[in-house]
Amino acid sequence: MKNNKVEIIVVGAGPAGVSAAITLARAGKKVLLVERGDCAGDKNVFGGTIYAKQTAEIFPKFWETAPIERAITEQKIFLLTDYNSTQISYKYASKGAYKAFTVNRSKWDKWCSQQAEKEGVYYAPKTLVNELILKDRNVIGIKTEFEEFYSDIVIIADGVNSLLAKQIGLRKEIKDSDVSLSVKEVIKINKEKLEDRFNLDEEDGCACRILGGPLRDKFALGFMYTNKDTISIGYSISLDEIKKLKVKPYELLDELKAHPTVSAYIKNGETIEYSSHLIPEGGYNAVPKLYDNGVMIIGDAAMLVNNIHFEGTNLAMLSGKLAAETAIEAINNKDYSKSSLSKYHTKLKESIILKDLKTHRNTIEVIKKNIHTLSSLYPELACEFLEILTSADGVEKKVKYRKFLKEIIKKGTISSSIPLAILAMEKCLKK
Ligand SMILES: Cc1cc2nc3c(=O)[nH]c(=O)nc-3n(C[C@H](O)[C@H](O)[C@H](O)COP(=O)(O)OP(=O)(O)OC[C@H]3O[C@@H](n4cnc5c(N)ncnc54)[C@H](O)[C@@H]3O)c2cc1C
């Protein structure tokens, strides 16, 4: 690197930054990837699963060499009441083509940054970027704790809080309603026990989402993911909601872990990690301006998370790739102006990122308005219905159905919450 000058600087070696840096290096551009952690991934918190499609676009056949935990072959939804649960499971035969994998972020991000180095990226860990350097309203470099580096373009991939995007006015202070707090524990458990409890073959994995129970009536979702010999368990909750609650975030996690259905999976396990992190959840309406003269923002820094479908890393990687492609064109044309970099926005609009976020732009509001139905009523109805269906207790069925329907009507949300099974029962009663 001559005189601390490269063509591109990428700040942050999470999925977004690594994907951008590798795409640039592959096009022969001189790129510096700066990461504050001792190692990429050191400071990163995650559920969770990475998705095969977008990951393989950057790392073809990554599952053959990358440190993955398990390939997801089952997705479960737990509907919890206070003590009982209904579980919906979708299990698929992989046929060698996996859709998602659980990973440990500290191992995974480290591996990704090593691949970036192998591809020719200058990689600088243990380097905190304090601010962007501006000249005539163009971003021309970064100031780290130790020295300054210069470039034609800076790509900001510093995650959800993005102090750098705030510095240049591309991001405002994040609203509490546009972000959720995630708390998570990693629980160590004997591998065979884990496979028995989740009914998994070796190397197969399960992703669980949890509604209700201690999270009932809150804009919150629990999760459980199987790793090799650990289980990641946690929940995320809207920041404005947790601020209003009297309970501390870890207390709510303890309540979730103590639910009879959940505790059966994790019992006798040892908590080896506890962490919390923010997730951008404002969706389409919270996406900021994503470029300016000499600068673009990608991944969580750009609020590109689709929380309805649990997608973050894949959108981070795709946005990194699209920003890098825009930068390659800009460097080739020697035009780093905002008008040149606006092509990044166009590429995002044409991709699944902004298309999907736009599709869901009002979904969060609908869910928030119906959170009681979703997190409380559905789990109760599902459990009560299955209880009626499966209990041979000598009570006449018609009497039970009437009681059940009366309860639903009393609870008041018959039109919005009626499941097909109840419609079928109503017909049966009319006969
Ligand atoms: C509990 C939880 C569960 C999740 N589950 C899933 C899931 O199952 N699937 C999924 O796809 N997504 C999931 N996500 C979301 C996903 O983790 C993020 O969307 C993704 O990590 C975003 O990648 P990124 O590269 O934009 O940001 P990050 O991964 O946050 O990376 C930002 C990087 O920038 C570095 N950095 C920050 N500031 C500076 C600075 N000033 N100087 C130098 N370096 C800096 C950080 O150290 C970090 O390495 C989950 C998130 C959480 C919190």
Side-chain angles (χ1 to χ4, degrees):
M1 197 189 315
K2 250 192 194 166
N3 304 327
N4 281 13
K5 168 95 204 281
V6 285
E7 289 169 298
I8 292 260
I9 294 170
V10 180
V11 183
V18 162
S19 156
I22 286 192
T23 307
L24 285 153
R26 284 181 187 155
K29 303 300 170 205
K30 301 231 166 326
V31 49
L32 170 66
L33 175 64
V34 188
E35 166 59 43
R36 67 178 170 182
D38 286 357
C39 242
D42 270 6
K43 294 187 188 277
N44 294 335
V45 179
F46 172 66
T49 55
I50 54 153
Y51 297 95
K53 166 107 181 54
Q54 284 86 14
T55 311
E57 280 174 22
I58 303 299
F59 301 114
K61 295 195 179 162
F62 65 91
W63 50 87
E64 289 176 0
T65 47
I68 53 173
E69 296 285 314
R70 286 177 181 272
I72 297 297
T73 52
E74 185 169 15
Q75 302 269 358
K76 276 187 172 183
I77 297 178
F78 290 12
L79 303 173
L80 306 184
T81 64
D82 286 345
Y83 302 104
N84 303 328
S85 68
T86 299
Q87 298 178 25
I88 302 164
S89 156
Y90 168 51
K91 195 158 177 130
Y92 37 88
S94 74
K95 296 184 196 121
Y98 293 107
K99 298 174 191 166
F101 298 88
T102 47
V103 296
N104 169 322
R105 279 292 295 271
S106 58
K107 290 184 198 157
W108 169 255
D109 286 21
K110 188 175 171 192
W111 180 86
C112 293
S113 65
Q114 284 166 349
Q115 306 313 302
E117 272 191 293
K118 280 187 199 158
E119 302 255 7
V121 171
Y122 300 115
Y123 174 53
K126 300 185 197 171
T127 309
L128 175 74
V129 177
N130 286 329
E131 58 181 278
L132 298 168
I133 305 172
L134 286 116
K135 190 179 171 201
D136 304 330
R137 302 172 86 186
N138 294 297
V139 174
I140 57 156
I142 54 166
K143 233 180 233 177
T144 74
E145 292 163 292
F146 313 108
E147 50 192 327
E148 295 182 352
F149 293 93
Y150 295 90
S151 62
D152 299 321
I153 298 173
V154 175
I155 295 181
I156 302 178
D158 58 351
V160 57
N161 286 319
S162 194
L163 300 178
L164 299 179
K166 281 182 203 153
Q167 183 208 329
I168 50 169
L170 288 183
R171 280 261 312 262
K172 297 198 185 80
E173 210 51 59
I174 204 162
K175 282 198 263 168
D176 286 355
S177 54
D178 284 346
V179 77
S180 73
L181 175 77
S182 256
V183 289
K184 182 195 123 180
E185 277 184 25
V186 177
I187 298 182
K188 189 153 179 63
I189 201 156
N190 170 285
K191 183 171 175 287
E192 284 72 37
K193 247 188 211 160
L194 183 150
E195 284 163 2
D196 274 358
R197 286 178 192 175
F198 285 85
N199 191 22
L200 294 171
D201 284 340
E202 204 176 351
E203 294 181 4
D204 285 355
C206 179
C208 313
R209 274 96 200 190
I210 308 168
L211 269 171
L215 304 178
R216 65 158 62 203
D217 294 333
K218 301 173 184 70
F219 187 57
L221 186 73
F223 57 80
M224 224 175 4
Y225 293 95
T226 56
N227 306 311
K228 271 198 180 98
D229 57 358
T230 59
I231 297 168
S232 300
I233 179 168
Y235 69 92
S236 57
I237 183 164
S238 181
L239 195 59
D240 54 358
E241 184 121 21
I242 191 82
K243 279 188 176 171
K244 279 185 247 149
L245 294 177
K246 300 261 174 329
V247 49
K248 300 223 166 31
Y250 64 83
E251 289 170 350
L252 205 50
L253 181 55
D254 283 345
E255 281 179 42
L256 185 64
K257 282 165 55 191
H259 188 281
T261 296
V262 177
S263 71
Y265 286 94
I266 56 172
K267 72 178 173 210
N268 301 328
E270 182 201 351
T271 300
I272 54 168
E273 197 184 301
Y274 174 85
S275 53
S276 65
H277 204 271
L278 296 177
I279 306 183
E281 295 217 317
Y284 190 77
N285 302 325
V287 174
K289 192 178 166 208
L290 298 163
Y291 57 91
D292 210 329
N293 294 313
V295 67
M296 288 177 274
I297 340 176
I298 58 177
D300 276 16
M303 310 282 280
L304 300 176
V305 169
N306 182 342
N307 62 345
I308 306 294
H309 291 272
F310 326 106
E311 293 179 23
T313 52
N314 57 334
L315 305 190
M317 294 187 89
L318 182 55
S319 65
K321 184 167 168 260
L322 297 178
E325 287 167 0
T326 308
I328 292 164
E329 221 180 304
I331 293 168
N332 291 345
N333 296 332
K334 293 194 175 7
D335 181 358
Y336 321 115
S337 66
K338 61 179 167 194
S339 122
S340 159
L341 301 186
S342 70
K343 286 183 195 138
Y344 166 51
H345 193 204
T346 310
K347 285 180 200 284
L348 283 175
K349 280 198 278 193
E350 286 164 359
S351 76
I352 55 140
I353 301 181
L354 286 186
K355 280 186 183 164
D356 286 352
L357 289 187
K358 196 167 180 191
T359 299
H360 281 302
R361 68 192 177 284
N362 298 318
T363 312
I364 297 287
E365 270 327 296
V366 173
I367 293 177
K368 278 188 176 167
K369 275 194 193 134
N370 292 288
I371 203 65
H372 174 69
T373 303
L374 268 170
S375 70
S376 191
L377 210 56
Y378 275 164
E380 273 172 29
L381 292 180
C383 288
E384 279 171 34
F385 177 73
L386 289 169
E387 169 76 24
I388 291 175
L389 198 71
T390 55
S391 56
D393 51 8
V395 181
E396 191 194 334
K397 302 296 181 232
K398 214 175 212 177
V399 173
K400 287 189 191 182
Y401 292 158
R402 277 215 178 96
K403 188 167 165 270
F404 183 51
L405 273 179
K406 260 190 196 165
E407 255 178 59
I408 296 172
I409 294 163
K410 203 171 88 193
K411 282 170 184 163
T413 44
I414 193 151
S415 58
S416 64
S417 65
I418 215 160
L420 283 174
I422 297 169
L423 280 173
M425 269 173 45
E426 205 179 31
K427 275 199 178 148
C428 152
L429 281 176
K430 272 184 195 156
K431 275 186 191 164

